[in-house]
């Protein structure tokens, strides 16, 4: 517990250093006569994310010149990525910002499958919502202690904390003996996270882990399937149900967490969107600040201060411990007083704004 608190304070201090470079401190006023920067924001299905708002706000405040944002979405159809690559090559914006692994790899390719004909290779790209850039083959595994870098025309930010940090957050909430981790056996990044979590749990002899995965062979994920899986989990009475971020679950988050609450399952997560959907508690970088952190990297590139390929791909140097009070009160599963001292309390019903 003491190590977790010290880690929180260390990361908060890191954020303070970051804020010394915030737009209000060092940004020059925009010159109306300057050539506008042209920045494309490309997403798979929606642009209603706090990370995108943070990205836009930071660039507008810090660019020192006008910024023209062009927004594109693919209406949920990743199959349109090749045509979007061709469009962006023709338009040649100053920078492209995108979210999620599927979008990043679709635009950029992978280290083993990347070419100038089918991918963006000479337009700067920054991304976020990529939980495992090494596993996604966007970057090589770094030497111990070295940052992750791409060596190419892109960089970005990681939106999910490491499993070691998340497990410490789970154990800080209250003493537990049985942990269930819910993941998608179809997502390579989820499989790697489960393997890492198993290794971390093995260091705690009094902790038992059960990994429950969505089947890799399936036609579709339905609310009925989720309900059956949650009922099976609840029958085993775990102390905490931890949900690894997974793409397939995004469309069913509210159903998933409302069913978990109905079944009396205490839940822990790693993303704000899961908290909004009804997760009980979680440890995560704030998405608005994550978007600003990504924009800071974009500004370094746009100003010509550094090449994209040497800008570290990393997570925000600060995280929030969030507790959803209405869910806690309904479940009557209360955190320790130590956690209450530094947690952010969310006092609204799931999905409310």
């Amino acid at each position: 517990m003491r190590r977790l608190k010290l880690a929180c304070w260390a990361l908060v201090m890191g954020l303070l250093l970051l804020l010394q470079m915030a737009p209000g401190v060092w940004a020059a006023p925009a010159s109306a006569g300057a050539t506008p920067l042209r920045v494309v924001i490309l997403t798979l299905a929606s642009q209603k994310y706090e990370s995108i708002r943070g990205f836009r706000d930071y660039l507008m405040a810090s660019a020192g010149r006008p910024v023209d944002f062009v927004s594109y979405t693919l209406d949920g159809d990743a199959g349109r990525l090749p045509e979007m690559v061709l469009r962006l090559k023709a338009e040649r914006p100053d920078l492209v910002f995108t979210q999620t692994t599927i979008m990043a790899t679709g635009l950029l390719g992978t280290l083993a499958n990347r070419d100038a004909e089918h991918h963006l290779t000479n337009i700067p790209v920054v991304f976020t919502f990529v939980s495992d850039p090494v596993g996604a083959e966007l970057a090589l595994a770094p030497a111990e202690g070295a940052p992750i870098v791409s060596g190419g025309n892109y960089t970005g930010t990681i939106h999910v904390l490491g499993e070691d940090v998340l497990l410490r957050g789970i154990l800080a909430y209250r003493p537990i003996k049985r942990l269930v981790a819910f993941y998608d056996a179809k997502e390579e990044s989820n499989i790697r996270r489960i393997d890492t979590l198993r290794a971390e749990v093995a260091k705690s002899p009094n902790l038992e882990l059960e990994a429950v995965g969505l089947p890799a062979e399936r036609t579709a994920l339905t609310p009925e399937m989720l309900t059956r899986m949650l009922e099976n989990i609840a029958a085993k009475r775990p102390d905490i149900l931890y949900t690894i971020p997974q793409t397939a679950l995004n469309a069913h988050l509210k159903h998933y967490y409302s069913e978990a609450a109905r079944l009396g399952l205490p839940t822990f997560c790693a993303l704000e969107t899961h908290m909004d959907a009804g997760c009980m508690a979680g440890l995560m970088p704030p998405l608005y600040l994550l978007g600003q952190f990504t924009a800071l990297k974009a500004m370094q590139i746009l100003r010509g201060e550094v090449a994209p390929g040497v800008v570290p791909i990393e997570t925000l140097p600060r995280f929030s411990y969030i507790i959803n009070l209405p869910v806690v009160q309904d479940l009557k599963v209360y955190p320790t007083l130590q956690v209450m001292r530094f947690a952010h309390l969310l006092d609204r019903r799931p999905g409310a704004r």
Side-chain angles (χ1 to χ4, degrees):
M1 186 66 228
R2 184 172 178 271
R3 286 197 300 270
L4 179 64
K5 291 176 72 176
L6 289 175
C8 288
W9 280 113
L11 292 178
V12 168
M13 292 305 295
L15 180 66
L16 292 177
L17 291 175
L18 173 65
L19 292 178
Q20 289 176 7
M21 299 184 290
V25 176
W26 58 271
S31 171
T35 303
L37 290 168
R38 192 164 186 274
V39 176
V40 168
I41 298 176
L42 172 63
T43 57
L44 180 61
S46 172
Q47 302 227 343
K48 295 180 180 179
Y49 285 91
E50 283 294 288
S51 51
I52 293 177
R53 188 169 70 87
F55 182 85
R56 290 172 59 98
D57 287 353
Y58 193 99
L59 280 194
M60 287 190 294
S62 65
R65 58 198 282 196
V67 182
D68 288 343
F69 290 102
V70 181
S71 299
Y72 295 125
T73 63
L74 302 185
D75 300 320
D77 183 6
R80 293 174 54 195
L81 273 166
E83 70 180 63
M84 183 54 66
V85 168
L86 294 176
R87 181 171 188 167
L88 292 172
K89 285 181 178 180
E91 294 180 359
R92 294 201 60 82
D94 294 295
L95 182 129
V96 175
F97 169 55
T98 193
Q99 297 194 146
T100 73
T101 300
I102 192 171
M103 294 295 288
T105 54
L107 291 176
L108 299 165
T110 64
L111 296 177
N113 179 25
R114 172 172 163 79
D115 62 76
E117 181 181 355
H118 300 99
H119 305 108
L120 299 182
T121 57
N122 58 3
I123 297 172
V125 177
V126 294
F127 55 73
T128 191
F129 287 21
V130 174
S131 62
D132 185 0
V134 173
E137 296 186 68
L138 289 165
L140 293 173
E144 187 175 353
I148 300 171
V149 294
S150 73
N153 61 310
Y154 56 92
T155 187
T157 55
I158 300 168
H159 68 306
V160 182
L161 300 172
E163 294 303 316
D164 56 339
V165 177
L166 288 164
L167 180 60
R168 289 201 298 272
I170 292 169
L171 297 178
Y173 187 87
R174 65 170 184 156
I176 66 169
K177 293 183 178 179
R178 233 181 143 260
L179 173 66
V180 168
F182 188 74
Y183 74 106
D184 187 350
K186 205 172 182 177
E187 280 196 37
E188 288 296 326
S189 63
N190 272 221
I191 295 170
R192 285 187 292 273
R193 282 187 168 268
I194 280 292
D195 290 342
T196 302
L197 183 61
R198 284 194 178 104
E200 292 297 323
V201 168
K203 300 173 186 177
S204 301
N206 296 322
L207 180 61
E208 175 189 348
L209 171 67
E210 180 181 357
V212 176
L214 289 170
E217 299 300 325
R218 62 177 188 269
T219 53
L221 176 61
T222 65
E224 293 75 20
M225 181 191 298
L226 285 172
T227 294
R228 288 195 300 271
M229 295 189 77
L230 288 169
E231 286 173 345
N232 290 335
I233 292 170
K236 300 175 183 178
R237 303 183 65 82
D239 297 309
I240 291 284
L241 169 62
Y242 162 51
T243 305
I244 290 178
Q246 50 199 270
T247 305
L249 195 57
N250 288 345
H252 305 287
L253 282 179
K254 289 182 181 178
H255 175 82
Y256 175 81
Y257 282 108
S258 67
E259 286 294 272
R262 178 182 68 82
L263 294 165
L265 287 167
T267 48
F268 195 92
C269 60
L271 285 178
E272 279 186 14
T273 49
H274 287 232
M275 293 301 306
D276 290 338
C279 182
M280 181 188 74
L283 200 62
M284 61 210 63
L287 292 187
Y288 182 83
L289 292 180
L290 187 71
Q292 291 200 313
F293 192 39
T294 312
L296 172 64
K297 296 176 182 294
M299 279 310 312
Q300 291 175 321
I301 296 164
L302 290 168
R303 286 179 170 158
E305 296 172 1
V306 65
V310 299
V311 178
I313 303 172
E314 57 192 341
T315 194
L316 184 71
R318 178 215 176 192
F319 53 76
S320 297
Y321 202 122
I322 303 178
I323 294 173
N324 200 329
L325 276 180
V327 178
V328 168
Q329 290 166 348
D330 288 346
L331 293 175
K332 295 180 173 54
V333 179
Y334 300 101
T336 61
L337 288 177
Q338 291 101 320
V339 166
M340 290 295 289
R341 290 192 184 112
F342 58 78
H344 171 71
L345 304 181
L346 189 66
D347 194 7
R348 65 168 182 260
R349 288 286 164 185
R353 286 289 181 185

